[in-house]
Amino acid sequence: MPSASSAASDSGRPVPPSLWRDGDFRRLWVGQTASQLGEHAGLVVVPLFAVLTLDAGAGQLGVLRAVGQAPILMLSLFVGAWVDGWRTRTVMVSTDAGRTLVLGAAAVAGFFGRLDLPALLVVAFAVGALSVFFDVAYQASLVRLVRRDQLVRGNSALEASRSAAQIAGPALGGALVSLLSAPVAVAAGALFFALSFLSIRRIRQAETVPARSERPPRVWRRIHEGLRFVAGDISLRAVCLASAAFQFSFAAVLTVYLLFLPRELHLSGTAIGLTLAAAGPGALVGSMLAARLPGRFGYGPVVLVAAAIGDGVFLCVPALNGSSGVTVPVLLVANFVFGAGGGLVNVALMAVRQTVTPDGMQGRAAATITFVGMGLTPLGSLLGGFLAGELGTRTSLLATAAGMMLSPVVMALSPLARLGRTLAPTRKASLPTGSQAHESGNRATGDVD
């Protein structure tokens, strides 16, 4: 595919001198960043609440994380088919409002000592389900709000913040639990979603969404079209497999890691938050490098090296012990390198997906890749909890960290390894034949909810 600057424009909007001068894009970026921070901070706040306040064991922690991740497997495909026919702004503000209310209620219950493990399971599932809607919607929103020749810059900015939040969010969650308290940390998560709601609610640009025919395709047909599109593209198939290998193993790693740091290394909450926070700057560095390195060395080599180094660094962590003076510095370096590799890979692979996917398929393609890539995370969390209980945290961490190396291996054996300095679609980026009639008419909707 030619560079984004040469891509045809179909939005009818004038090109601003700088994308950052576009007020709607800034509102989307602020809202998406706040939402991602709240979502990923919650991935640590809720488990730490269970471990530190409710004294949950390894098996219970694995179940809790699996319940929070289950909506990815259960809802992603349906959400992708649904979002393609609706305004993404409405979907995002609605889910932000829902998550604010759920976490706000959980924080109040926590203050009064009424937030037990069953209630925490309900909170984790509800937030996870709403997050599926938001994540699919925001990935489709940029294509509708900006010109094609702005997609690379806009996507790079959104992916940079998402990558940073994905890895820095857990660090922030650990710090909030340590410096404040678990209930206050839950309330802080609600504030992030409230900020996202307020920012995205102010977007004024009308979206161009697919027109609804009198007899729109049934949801199963739309889901099938998304699955067929992704399965029919050789690059997207490889992205799915590599993502699934990484996310399954990383879910197991994080479950063990959250037990290993306080119980095996005897680190305080502050130290845990500090070490996890190092991944945030790393993710930002990786995202910035993603704008330069692929154009110089090729997407394939850069993605492979970044994934191998970023994932492989965790193999060093099980060798640490709590009495060593180098424990925290090594953890800082390891998390920084992991964040840098993850940020670079995330931005590069997102560019691959958007390059080969037409506008009317963006939501379904994103949902399909999320379904395949993230769908196994509940099983990974359960596996991590089981291994930690049976083998101990140190041995389990080594085994699960080794599992993350499957992702670069999958990429090395796929067409992703042969990607060059520019991206070209492996086939014409058009909608499946069965959906062309439904998607052919676009209309600009107003901004009324």
Side-chain angles (χ1 to χ4, degrees):
M1 179 179 179
S3 64
S5 61
S6 63
S9 171
D10 53 12
S11 68
R13 299 186 68 192
V15 181
S18 170
L19 189 60
W20 290 104
R21 296 182 185 177
D22 186 329
D24 283 339
F25 175 77
R26 291 199 307 270
R27 295 179 188 112
L28 174 64
W29 183 86
V30 170
Q32 180 254 8
T33 301
S35 179
Q36 293 291 315
L37 278 172
E39 178 181 341
H40 292 288
L43 296 179
V44 167
V45 169
V46 173
L48 285 182
F49 184 97
V51 171
L52 301 178
T53 304
L54 304 179
D55 197 28
Q60 291 174 315
L61 182 61
V63 170
L64 177 62
R65 297 197 68 244
V67 167
Q69 295 159 340
I72 299 172
L73 181 62
M74 298 169 59
L75 301 176
S76 292
L77 295 178
F78 296 96
V79 172
W82 186 75
V83 164
D84 273 336
W86 290 83
R87 285 172 294 165
T88 57
R89 171 185 171 277
T90 301
V91 176
M92 289 187 287
V93 297
S94 299
T95 55
D96 278 335
R99 291 184 292 186
T100 300
L101 293 175
V102 170
L103 286 183
V108 172
F111 280 124
F112 291 99
R114 304 300 295 269
L115 189 60
D116 55 11
L117 189 58
L120 207 58
L121 291 172
V122 174
V123 170
F125 184 85
V127 172
L130 292 169
S131 294
V132 171
F133 279 86
F134 184 94
D135 291 346
V136 172
Y138 102 79
Q139 291 185 59
S141 64
L142 185 66
V143 178
R144 300 181 185 180
L145 291 177
V146 305
R147 295 172 60 100
R148 279 282 183 177
D149 57 4
Q150 297 171 321
L151 274 179
V152 170
R153 287 178 293 163
N155 184 63
S156 178
L158 291 178
E159 274 301 292
S161 66
R162 189 191 73 87
S163 299
Q166 188 175 30
I167 313 224
L172 177 62
L176 290 173
V177 172
S178 174
L179 298 176
L180 303 174
S181 67
V184 174
V186 173
L191 291 178
F192 280 115
F193 294 130
L195 174 60
S196 178
F197 171 87
L198 293 174
S199 182
I200 294 176
R201 180 68 179 81
R202 295 176 60 234
I203 292 177
R204 291 292 175 259
Q205 172 64 31
E207 291 186 39
T208 299
V209 298
R212 296 171 193 161
S213 62
E214 293 182 0
R215 299 183 62 184
R218 293 182 178 181
V219 64
W220 285 109
R221 179 181 175 184
R222 293 174 62 80
I223 290 173
H224 179 261
E225 289 169 354
L227 289 169
R228 186 176 62 182
F229 178 80
V230 173
D233 188 280
I234 192 169
S235 297
L236 297 185
R237 287 202 308 270
V239 171
C240 282
L241 293 176
S243 177
F246 171 80
Q247 296 294 348
F248 174 79
S249 300
F250 181 63
V253 166
L254 189 56
T255 300
V256 180
Y257 198 52
L258 291 173
L259 294 167
F260 178 77
L261 294 180
R263 296 184 177 176
E264 191 73 30
L265 300 185
H266 309 292
L267 297 183
S268 65
T270 301
I272 292 174
L274 178 64
T275 57
L276 291 175
L284 291 176
V285 170
S287 298
M288 290 187 291
L289 291 176
R292 296 179 177 273
L293 295 185
R296 183 173 182 180
F297 300 105
Y299 278 83
V302 168
V303 166
L304 282 180
V305 172
I309 295 177
D311 297 348
V313 72
F314 259 93
L315 292 171
C316 304
V317 175
L320 299 174
N321 61 75
S323 61
S324 172
V326 301
T327 296
V328 172
V330 170
L331 287 173
L332 289 171
V333 173
N335 280 277
F336 180 89
V337 173
F338 175 71
L344 203 164
V345 172
N346 285 342
V347 173
L349 293 187
M350 179 65 78
V352 173
R353 179 182 71 77
Q354 287 195 331
T355 297
V356 301
T357 305
D359 291 359
M361 189 62 66
Q362 289 286 341
R364 280 170 284 175
T368 299
I369 293 175
T370 298
F371 173 78
V372 176
M374 299 287 291
L376 294 178
T377 54
L379 298 179
S381 295
L382 291 174
L383 176 64
F386 172 79
L387 291 177
E390 295 294 322
L391 305 177
T393 55
R394 192 178 298 275
T395 301
S396 300
L397 186 58
L398 179 62
T400 53
M404 286 201 299
M405 297 304 296
L406 289 174
S407 180
V409 169
V410 169
M411 288 190 286
L413 299 176
S414 76
L416 293 176
R418 299 189 293 274
L419 292 176
R421 297 188 178 110
T422 58
L423 295 175
T426 53
R427 61 190 176 112
K428 184 178 180 181
S430 59
L431 294 170
T433 303
S435 65
Q436 286 177 353
H438 174 60
E439 305 288 1
S440 58
N442 287 341
R443 58 185 174 88
T445 64
D447 202 39
V448 180
D449 285 333

